[in-house]
Amino acid sequence: ILNVEQSPQSLHVQEGDSTNFTCSFPSSNFYALHWYRWETAKSPEALFVMTLNGDEKKKGRISATLNTKEGYSYLYIKGSQPEDSATYLCAFKSGYALNFGKGTSLLVTP
Amino acid sequence: EAGVTQFPSHSVIEKGQTVTLRCDPISGHDNLYWYRRVMGKEIKFLLHFVKESKQDESGMPNNRFLAERTGGTYSTLKVQPAELEDSGVYFCASSVQGTTSTDTQYFGPGTRLTVL
């Protein structure tokens, strides 16, 4: 069983605030770390696939970093907007399967 | 390009009945995956197809679950007979390459199954 932990479980911020979440995963036998954005009743949307220690990836106002030696990844959202409200999932790839954390539920209010 | 589609979006059945879920992957994607999210828990892997062959079904809960992918295109997941604990959201995903580290799995919107 591969434990992937995400924190915080939920977050409520005001529009314009910047925020970040953490994903912790096993540091041994690292292969890849995936981030998804998921709104209920919609398809989880792939944000990033991260493979190298020290990786930094960016998509608009969202960025992510990766530390494979200590087993964590951070997701940052700069200047949060109400449309950023969603659950953000990280998943540790093992073989073919993705092992997901429970997610961080973000609510951005105007 | 059409994404991964799943049918039905919702299904409500009684304990003991049979339900079949369908997934149509992105055209050209040989790899197809099934996952399940039980309420309050994380999304968990069920199984993986490469074309019509099952590569890994280590996540299938028990023999009440049967997945098929005849012809290597769409896939079905049958639950027979359904139990209360089978309730949850069943996701399908597809990808091009499977084993490469950068391979992205594209998810469908899921089928929400409720067993009463």
Side-chain angles (χ1 to χ4, degrees), chain B residues 12-64:
Chain B
V12 180
I13 61 173
E14 293 193 352
K15 176 181 170 180
Q17 289 186 320
T18 297
V19 64
T20 300
L21 314 181
R22 174 172 169 143
C23 168
D24 286 80
I26 293 172
S27 177
H29 283 193
D30 286 342
N31 293 272
L32 187 149
Y33 313 82
W34 284 98
Y35 291 84
R36 177 174 74 172
R37 183 175 185 259
V38 171
M39 191 164 62
K41 302 211 169 174
E42 61 274 16
I43 298 173
K44 282 197 179 291
F45 169 80
L46 296 178
L47 88 159
H48 168 226
F49 285 97
V50 176
K51 296 185 181 179
E52 68 276 8
S53 299
K54 290 177 190 173
Q55 291 296 300
D56 181 357
E57 49 184 330
S58 59
M60 294 287 261
N62 50 61
N63 59 10
R64 294 185 293 102

Side-chain angles (χ1 to χ4, degrees), chain A residues 5 10 15 20 22 25 32 38 54-55 57 64 72 75 81 84 89 100-102 104:
Chain A
E5 302 287 341
S10 63
E15 182 175 358
N20 66 85
T22 304
F25 52 85
W38 179 42
D55 251 357
K57 297 218 171 178
Y72 65 84
L75 188 82
Q81 299 296 308
D84 295 329
L89 300 163
F100 283 87
K102 289 185 179 180
T104 293

Side-chain angles (χ1 to χ4, degrees), chain A residues 1 31-32 34 36 38 40-44 46 49-51 89 93 95-102, chain B residues 4 31 33 35 37 40-43 45 48 55 91 98-105 107-109 112:
Chain A
I1 297 177
Y31 196 47
H34 295 236
Y36 286 86
W38 179 42
T40 304
K42 294 187 178 180
S43 303
V49 178
M50 309 185 79
T51 57
L89 300 163
K93 189 168 187 183
Y96 298 98
L98 295 179
N99 299 274
F100 283 87
K102 289 185 179 180
Chain B
V4 176
N31 293 272
Y33 313 82
Y35 291 84
R37 183 175 185 259
K41 302 211 169 174
E42 61 274 16
I43 298 173
F45 169 80
H48 168 226
Q55 291 296 300
F91 289 102
T99 54
T100 59
S101 59
T102 55
D103 188 52
T104 297
Q105 294 184 18
F107 279 74
R112 181 173 295 277

